[in-house]
Protein backbone atom coordinates (compact mmCIF):
# COMPACT_ATOMS: atom_id res chain seq x y z
CA UNK A 1 0.00 0.00 0.00
CA UNK A 2 2.82 2.32 0.90
CA UNK A 3 4.34 1.74 -2.51
CA UNK A 4 1.05 2.69 -4.15
CA UNK A 5 0.91 5.99 -2.23
CA UNK A 6 4.55 6.68 -3.07
CA UNK A 7 3.82 6.01 -6.75
CA UNK A 8 0.76 8.30 -6.70
CA UNK A 9 2.69 11.07 -4.95
CA UNK A 10 5.47 10.87 -7.53
CA UNK A 11 2.94 10.88 -10.36
CA UNK A 12 1.18 13.95 -8.94
CA UNK A 13 4.53 15.73 -8.49
CA UNK A 14 5.51 15.00 -12.10
CA UNK A 15 2.08 16.14 -13.29
CA UNK A 16 2.40 19.43 -11.38
CA UNK A 17 5.86 20.02 -12.85
CA UNK A 18 4.47 19.37 -16.32
CA UNK A 19 1.62 21.85 -15.72
CA UNK A 20 4.03 24.52 -14.47
CA UNK A 21 6.35 23.94 -17.43
CA UNK A 22 3.41 24.17 -19.82
CA UNK A 23 2.27 27.46 -18.26
CA UNK A 24 5.78 28.91 -18.49
CA UNK A 25 6.18 27.84 -22.09
CA UNK A 26 2.72 29.12 -23.01
CA UNK A 27 3.45 32.53 -21.46
CA UNK A 28 7.15 32.62 -22.21
CA UNK A 29 7.02 35.74 -24.37
CA UNK A 30 4.94 37.63 -21.84
CA UNK A 31 7.22 36.57 -18.98
CA UNK A 32 10.32 37.39 -20.96
CA UNK A 33 8.93 40.83 -21.79
CA UNK A 34 8.02 41.44 -18.15
CA UNK A 35 11.50 40.49 -16.95
CA UNK A 36 13.11 42.70 -19.59
CA UNK A 37 10.87 45.60 -18.59
CA UNK A 38 11.80 45.06 -14.96
CA UNK A 39 15.50 45.27 -15.77
CA UNK A 40 14.99 48.35 -17.94
CA UNK A 41 13.12 50.10 -15.16
CA UNK A 42 15.71 49.11 -12.60
CA UNK A 43 18.55 50.40 -14.76
CA UNK A 44 16.74 53.61 -15.69
CA UNK A 45 16.10 54.75 -12.11
CA UNK A 46 18.86 55.90 -9.87
CA UNK A 47 19.17 57.94 -6.71
CA UNK A 48 22.28 59.93 -5.98
CA UNK A 49 23.04 62.30 -3.14
CA UNK A 50 23.82 65.92 -4.00
CA UNK A 51 24.51 68.44 -1.25
CA UNK A 52 22.70 66.21 1.20
CA UNK A 53 19.68 65.78 -1.08
CA UNK A 54 18.70 62.39 -2.47
CA UNK A 55 17.75 62.97 -6.11
CA UNK A 56 16.09 60.42 -8.38
CA UNK A 57 16.56 60.41 -12.13
CA UNK A 58 14.81 58.36 -14.79
CA UNK A 59 14.10 58.53 -18.49
CA UNK A 60 11.00 60.68 -17.99
CA UNK A 61 12.70 63.32 -15.82
CA UNK A 62 15.56 63.62 -18.29
CA UNK A 63 13.12 63.99 -21.18
CA UNK A 64 11.26 66.80 -19.41
CA UNK A 65 14.36 68.54 -18.05
CA UNK A 66 16.06 68.71 -21.46
CA UNK A 67 12.95 69.26 -23.57
CA UNK A 68 13.53 72.92 -24.45
CA UNK A 69 17.30 72.53 -24.94
CA UNK A 70 17.01 69.51 -27.20
CA UNK A 71 14.21 71.11 -29.19
CA UNK A 72 16.62 73.97 -29.87
CA UNK A 73 19.25 71.49 -31.06
CA UNK A 74 16.73 70.08 -33.55
CA UNK A 75 15.49 73.52 -34.58
CA UNK A 76 18.92 74.83 -35.51
CA UNK A 77 20.40 71.54 -36.73
CA UNK A 78 17.84 68.80 -37.49
CA UNK A 79 20.61 66.22 -37.86
CA UNK A 80 22.38 67.09 -34.58
CA UNK A 81 21.67 63.76 -32.89
CA UNK A 82 22.73 61.70 -35.90
CA UNK A 83 25.81 63.88 -36.39
CA UNK A 84 26.79 63.11 -32.79
CA UNK A 85 26.31 59.36 -33.09
CA UNK A 86 22.71 58.89 -31.89
CA UNK A 87 19.91 57.42 -33.97
CA UNK A 88 17.19 59.34 -32.14
CA UNK A 89 16.66 62.03 -29.56
CA UNK A 90 15.55 59.33 -27.12
CA UNK A 91 18.91 57.58 -27.56
CA UNK A 92 20.68 60.80 -26.60
CA UNK A 93 18.43 61.25 -23.56
CA UNK A 94 19.31 57.71 -22.46
CA UNK A 95 22.99 58.62 -22.88
CA UNK A 96 22.57 61.67 -20.63
CA UNK A 97 20.69 59.60 -18.06
CA UNK A 98 23.51 57.05 -17.95
CA UNK A 99 26.10 59.82 -17.53
CA UNK A 100 24.09 61.40 -14.73
CA UNK A 101 23.71 58.07 -12.95
CA UNK A 102 27.45 57.41 -13.21
CA UNK A 103 28.51 60.48 -11.23
CA UNK A 104 29.97 60.38 -7.76
CA UNK A 105 29.09 63.15 -5.35
CA UNK A 106 32.51 64.74 -5.83
CA UNK A 107 32.10 64.63 -9.62
CA UNK A 108 28.70 66.30 -9.26
CA UNK A 109 30.25 69.06 -7.17
CA UNK A 110 33.04 69.72 -9.67
CA UNK A 111 30.77 69.59 -12.73
CA UNK A 112 28.17 71.94 -11.27
CA UNK A 113 30.87 74.43 -10.31
CA UNK A 114 32.84 74.47 -13.56
CA UNK A 115 33.50 78.12 -14.34
CA UNK A 116 33.69 79.02 -10.65
CA UNK A 117 36.79 76.91 -9.99
CA UNK A 118 39.89 79.09 -9.87
CA UNK A 119 43.62 78.42 -10.07
CA UNK A 120 43.38 74.86 -11.36
CA UNK A 121 47.02 73.83 -11.24
CA UNK A 122 49.28 70.90 -10.57
CA UNK A 123 52.06 71.38 -8.01
CA UNK A 124 55.36 69.81 -7.11
CA UNK A 125 54.03 68.12 -3.98
CA UNK A 126 50.24 68.04 -4.13
CA UNK A 127 48.41 67.11 -0.93
CA UNK A 128 45.84 64.33 -0.75
CA UNK A 129 42.87 66.62 -1.41
CA UNK A 130 44.50 68.15 -4.48
CA UNK A 131 45.22 64.70 -5.89
CA UNK A 132 41.56 63.74 -5.41
CA UNK A 133 40.35 66.88 -7.19
CA UNK A 134 42.81 66.33 -10.03
CA UNK A 135 41.65 62.74 -10.47
CA UNK A 136 38.01 63.89 -10.38
CA UNK A 137 38.64 66.46 -13.10
CA UNK A 138 40.35 63.80 -15.21
CA UNK A 139 37.35 61.47 -14.85
CA UNK A 140 34.93 64.21 -15.93
CA UNK A 141 37.09 64.76 -19.01
CA UNK A 142 37.21 61.02 -19.74
CA UNK A 143 33.42 60.84 -19.52
CA UNK A 144 33.17 63.59 -22.13
CA UNK A 145 31.54 66.05 -19.73
CA UNK A 146 34.34 68.60 -19.73
CA UNK A 147 37.27 69.79 -21.78
CA UNK A 148 40.62 70.57 -20.17
CA UNK A 149 43.08 72.95 -21.82
CA UNK A 150 46.40 74.38 -20.68
CA UNK A 151 46.24 77.90 -19.27
CA UNK A 152 49.62 79.65 -19.58
CA UNK A 153 48.08 82.86 -18.26
CA UNK A 154 46.91 81.20 -15.05
CA UNK A 155 50.26 79.45 -14.72
CA UNK A 156 52.21 82.72 -14.95
CA UNK A 157 49.98 84.42 -12.39
CA UNK A 158 50.10 81.56 -9.88
CA UNK A 159 53.84 81.04 -10.45
CA UNK A 160 54.51 84.71 -9.69
CA UNK A 161 52.37 84.57 -6.55
CA UNK A 162 54.24 81.55 -5.27
CA UNK A 163 57.59 83.13 -6.14
CA UNK A 164 56.70 86.02 -3.84
CA UNK A 165 55.76 83.59 -1.08
CA UNK A 166 59.01 81.68 -1.62
CA UNK A 167 61.03 84.91 -1.33
CA UNK A 168 59.34 85.55 2.03
CA UNK A 169 60.06 82.04 3.21
CA UNK A 170 56.35 81.26 3.15
CA UNK A 171 56.21 78.77 0.30
CA UNK A 172 53.41 76.23 0.99
CA UNK A 173 54.35 72.58 1.41
CA UNK A 174 52.82 71.81 -2.01
CA UNK A 175 55.75 73.60 -3.65
CA UNK A 176 55.70 75.54 -6.90
CA UNK A 177 53.09 75.13 -9.65
CA UNK A 178 54.10 72.89 -12.56
CA UNK A 179 51.21 73.72 -14.90
CA UNK A 180 47.70 75.15 -14.84
CA UNK A 181 44.56 74.39 -16.80
CA UNK A 182 41.07 75.58 -17.57
CA UNK A 183 38.04 73.33 -17.49
CA UNK A 184 34.90 73.95 -19.55
CA UNK A 185 31.72 71.92 -20.06
CA UNK A 186 30.92 70.06 -23.26
CA UNK A 187 27.35 69.84 -24.58
CA UNK A 188 26.94 66.64 -22.58
CA UNK A 189 28.32 68.42 -19.52
CA UNK A 190 25.83 71.26 -19.87
CA UNK A 191 22.96 68.83 -20.27
CA UNK A 192 23.95 66.65 -17.32
CA UNK A 193 24.31 69.80 -15.21
CA UNK A 194 20.84 70.89 -16.31
CA UNK A 195 19.41 67.55 -15.19
CA UNK A 196 21.22 67.85 -11.84
CA UNK A 197 20.18 71.44 -11.17
CA UNK A 198 16.56 70.84 -12.14
CA UNK A 199 16.56 67.73 -9.98
CA UNK A 200 17.70 69.87 -7.04
CA UNK A 201 15.21 72.63 -7.81
CA UNK A 202 12.33 70.14 -7.74
CA UNK A 203 13.15 69.58 -4.07
CA UNK A 204 12.60 73.24 -3.27
CA UNK A 205 9.93 74.38 -5.74
CA UNK A 206 9.40 75.23 -9.42
CA UNK A 207 12.32 74.59 -11.76
CA UNK A 208 14.72 77.45 -12.19
CA UNK A 209 16.93 78.20 -15.13
CA UNK A 210 19.73 75.64 -14.86
CA UNK A 211 22.19 77.72 -16.80
Amino acid sequence: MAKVFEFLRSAIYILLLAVVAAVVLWNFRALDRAVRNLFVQASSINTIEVLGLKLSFNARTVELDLKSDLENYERYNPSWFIDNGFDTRADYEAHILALTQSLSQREVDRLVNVGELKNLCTFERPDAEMRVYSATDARLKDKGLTKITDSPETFRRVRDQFAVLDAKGELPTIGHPLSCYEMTRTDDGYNVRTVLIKGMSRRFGPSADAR
Side-chain angles (χ1 to χ4, degrees), residues 2 10 42 52 85 97 120 160 208-209:
S10 298
L97 174 60
L120 300 175
D160 293 346
D209 183 6

Side-chain angles (χ1 to χ4, degrees), residues 46 48 96-105 107 143 145:
N46 191 47
I48 64 175
I96 293 299
L97 174 60
L99 286 173
T100 304
Q101 292 175 336
S102 76
L103 295 176
S104 68
Q105 187 162 345
E107 289 170 342
K143 291 180 179 182
L145 296 172

Side-chain angles (χ1 to χ4, degrees), residues 15 70 73 79 111 118 181 204 209:
L15 179 61
L70 299 189
Y73 286 7
S79 64
L111 180 64
K118 307 299 181 184
Y181 60 92
F204 296 105
D209 183 6

Side-chain angles (χ1 to χ4, degrees), residues 20 27 61 82 104 128 130 133 137 143 161 172 175 183 206:
V20 171
N27 295 282
T61 61
I82 291 176
S104 68
M130 294 175 70
Y133 281 131
D137 292 348
K143 291 180 179 182
Q161 291 172 350
M183 188 161 59

Side-chain angles (χ1 to χ4, degrees), residues 5 7 12-13 29 33-34 38 53 55 70 78 127 132 205 207:
F5 280 119
F7 173 78
I12 292 172
Y13 179 72
R29 289 187 178 180
R33 186 162 53 249
L38 180 62
L53 299 174
L55 306 178
L70 299 189
D127 58 27
V132 169
S207 296

Side-chain angles (χ1 to χ4, degrees), residues 161-182:
Q161 291 172 350
F162 275 65
V164 171
L165 293 174
D166 195 7
K168 294 180 180 180
E170 300 174 357
L171 183 67
T173 57
I174 58 177
H176 291 278
L178 300 176
S179 64
C180 297
Y181 60 92
E182 291 182 351

Side-chain angles (χ1 to χ4, degrees), residues 83-98:
D83 292 344
N84 285 274
F86 301 93
D87 292 334
T88 65
R89 176 167 150 182
D91 289 338
Y92 181 72
E93 291 168 349
H95 169 67
I96 293 299
L97 174 60

Side-chain angles (χ1 to χ4, degrees), residues 47-63:
T47 300
I48 64 175
E49 187 170 328
V50 181
L51 302 177
L53 299 174
K54 290 193 178 297
L55 306 178
S56 295
F57 304 97
N58 55 49
R60 181 58 176 165
T61 61
V62 170
E63 178 187 2

